[in-house]
Amino acid sequence: MRLSLKLGALCAAAAFLPTFIILLVVGSKVSSDARERSLEQLRRDSRGAYSLFEKRVVELRASAQMLALEIATRALVSADTPDRNSPAALARLQDMLPRAQNDASLDLVMVTDPLGRVIARHNDRPVPGETLLGLEDKNPVAEKVITGGNQPVASCVIERGERYGRLGLDRIAPVRLPDGTTTDEALMIEAGAPIFSGGRIVGVALIGQMLNTYYKPRAGATSLLTPLVAEARQTLYGGGEEDAGAVIALGKVIVASSIPPVDTAAPALSGLLHDPSKAEEEFRRGARSYIVAWQPLKLLDGTAVGAIGVARPASEFEGVAGPVRSTILLVAVIATLLAAGAGFWFGLVLGARLDDLTEAARRWGLGELSAPAGDRTLLARWVPDRHLRDEINRLAGQLEEMRESFRQAIERMKKR
């Protein structure tokens, strides 16, 4: 094998390998950065969903204040009656609460006295002794209103036990888990406001909206008429992205989702188990996978009881990196081929220069001292000679001086 081909192959390999490795590393880095940017956008969306949750809390607190003011204005709960309320006022109050429930799409509307004893609720007359401040089932929002300065309060609350059934939540809140069991708790946003009469508190108006299971948008004049996950989907994605949506978890179970169904009647991801310790998770439902970014939901005391998040198909994250990888691969192939071609060409030129010197030496051996020891440099016509000087140039010059010395010596010998 000729030296020029060997040098060409060696230079091509020397140019090919590092170029290919560098481009692979760069491609992997760019692909990773693209996926991270997509995850960061998902995190921003999850923060946007949490902002909608906070807005919903403020709206419910305002609704509780309005209800408390209306009750006080109409004297439906008054400090003037020693038995707390007259039968006529209780009847009007009992008729008023269902209307308040329908107007704001509520799942809980109650009125209590200053001791937390239930005076009225939206779905039925309270049972004797029914209270929100029982030892085993205290309502933290009502307790805070009564004991915390008589200010309006709103927060997440978990309804369970007897009140869970009395409010009828046991019929609408359960979510089916993959093992066939169902949940027996409801995650609520509840708001309470004090009812004043004669300058002192005479009761508490408590309202609540359940987050479990609701997911279908409903037309209405206020956002309270739209389930929170549906509002989040409409706000963040305009309802136009088929597979994206919002999800809400209670403990370890996803209890609400606005992601369209995949292979069941229920929304995608509903009922799947969630790891509360993770800020991002990947879920699989049927043939589809989703990436979810979470934001915690907390009780009044700061205890995390659930989370709200947004979900997008995992294929979108791969899709973002896919074109980047393809582009990088194409650039890598082109750059590698160019580098290998340049290296091969450089090796051929280097070998050809040595071949010229070898051919000159061969001709001298045959007595052709007229053949110069030339050095072909292709760049000589564009680059000054002083910038192209190297060891082969110097060797060619020394061989040329030797050839000229031999030629002159032979000429002198012929003249003698």
Side-chain angles (χ1 to χ4, degrees):
M1 186 176 182
R2 295 181 59 186
L3 177 62
S4 59
L5 293 178
K6 292 180 181 179
L7 287 174
L10 179 62
C11 292
F16 172 88
L17 290 177
T19 303
F20 187 73
I21 292 172
I22 291 172
L23 287 172
L24 282 181
V25 172
V26 171
S28 176
K29 176 64 175 176
V30 171
S31 177
S32 176
D33 288 347
R35 179 179 175 83
E36 184 58 32
R37 284 194 298 271
S38 298
L39 282 174
E40 184 54 38
Q41 179 60 52
L42 190 69
R43 297 182 191 113
R44 285 195 293 269
D45 290 346
S46 71
R47 292 191 289 270
Y50 185 77
S51 296
L52 292 173
F53 162 77
E54 291 181 317
K55 178 176 72 72
R56 182 65 58 95
V57 170
V58 172
E59 291 172 339
L60 283 171
R61 185 166 56 234
S63 295
Q65 286 181 285
M66 292 177 60
L67 179 61
L69 180 60
E70 183 178 3
I71 292 172
T73 301
R74 297 172 62 179
L76 300 181
V77 177
S78 173
D80 299 332
T81 55
D83 59 348
R84 297 183 11 237
N85 294 98
S86 67
L90 283 175
R92 293 197 303 272
L93 183 61
Q94 197 67 52
D95 290 339
M96 176 185 172
L97 298 190
R99 289 196 298 271
Q101 176 199 12
N102 292 331
D103 289 345
S105 187
L106 301 174
D107 298 284
L108 180 157
V109 185
M110 286 184 174
V111 176
T112 77
D113 67 8
L115 300 178
R117 293 174 295 187
V118 179
I119 298 173
R121 51 183 161 89
H122 69 276
N123 62 330
D124 201 356
R125 290 186 179 275
V127 300
E130 185 174 346
T131 178
L132 296 182
L133 299 183
L135 294 178
E136 297 181 357
D137 192 18
K138 284 186 179 182
N139 183 284
V141 171
E143 182 183 28
K144 184 69 173 179
V145 173
I146 294 172
T147 64
N150 302 330
Q151 296 296 318
V153 176
S155 174
C156 280
V157 174
I158 298 177
E159 292 292 354
R160 56 170 70 94
E162 290 186 0
R163 192 179 306 126
Y164 177 77
R166 286 172 182 168
L167 295 173
L169 299 176
D170 56 340
R171 298 192 301 271
I172 57 177
V175 177
R176 184 172 295 276
L177 278 62
D179 61 3
T181 60
T182 57
T183 58
D184 58 357
E185 296 178 334
L187 181 61
M188 311 278 291
I189 301 177
E190 295 186 7
I195 303 171
F196 290 100
S197 177
R200 61 191 180 91
I201 184 171
V202 295
V204 175
L206 182 72
I207 65 175
Q209 193 173 71
M210 186 184 72
L211 300 179
N212 295 39
T213 68
Y214 294 149
Y215 63 92
K216 292 183 178 179
R218 288 173 282 182
T222 67
S223 60
L224 286 177
L225 297 176
T226 301
L228 182 57
V229 289
E231 183 186 12
R233 183 170 188 262
Q234 290 175 337
T235 302
L236 296 173
Y237 305 123
E241 298 191 28
E242 294 184 358
D243 293 333
V247 288
I248 291 176
L250 169 57
K252 296 182 178 181
V253 181
I254 296 178
V255 295
S257 168
S258 58
I259 308 170
V262 176
D263 51 9
T264 63
L269 306 187
S270 178
L272 295 187
L273 297 181
H274 148 67
D275 185 350
S277 65
K278 293 184 178 180
E280 287 101 30
E281 281 187 277
E282 183 169 356
F283 295 92
R284 177 173 292 276
R285 172 56 66 88
R288 298 184 184 179
S289 294
Y290 297 87
I291 303 294
V292 179
W294 296 103
Q295 296 292 326
L297 300 179
K298 300 179 180 180
L299 301 177
L300 276 176
D301 62 3
T303 303
V305 294
I308 184 170
V310 292
R312 296 178 68 91
S315 59
E316 292 187 10
F317 296 84
E318 297 171 0
V320 170
V324 175
R325 284 198 298 266
S326 299
T327 301
I328 291 295
L329 181 60
L330 178 61
V331 172
V333 170
I334 294 174
T336 301
L337 291 177
L338 290 176
F344 186 73
W345 176 80
F346 177 78
L348 284 179
V349 170
L350 185 61
R353 293 172 68 189
L354 294 175
D355 286 344
D356 286 345
L357 297 181
T358 302
E359 177 62 20
R362 185 188 67 80
R363 294 175 65 182
W364 296 347
L366 297 176
E368 298 182 26
L369 293 178
S370 60
D375 177 24
R376 294 181 297 175
T377 304
L378 297 181
L379 299 178
R381 66 177 65 183
W382 300 292
V383 181
D385 182 66
R386 65 179 179 276
H387 296 308
L388 298 175
R389 301 296 294 177
D390 57 18
E391 287 78 0
I392 297 179
N393 293 128
R394 290 195 289 271
L395 176 60
Q398 291 173 355
L399 290 176
E400 182 64 18
E401 292 176 0
M402 184 179 67
R403 179 189 70 82
E404 185 63 24
S405 297
F406 284 163
R407 190 185 64 78
Q408 292 176 3
I410 292 174
E411 290 292 333
R412 287 193 297 269
M413 290 176 63
K414 287 181 178 181
K415 290 179 180 181
R416 291 178 186 176

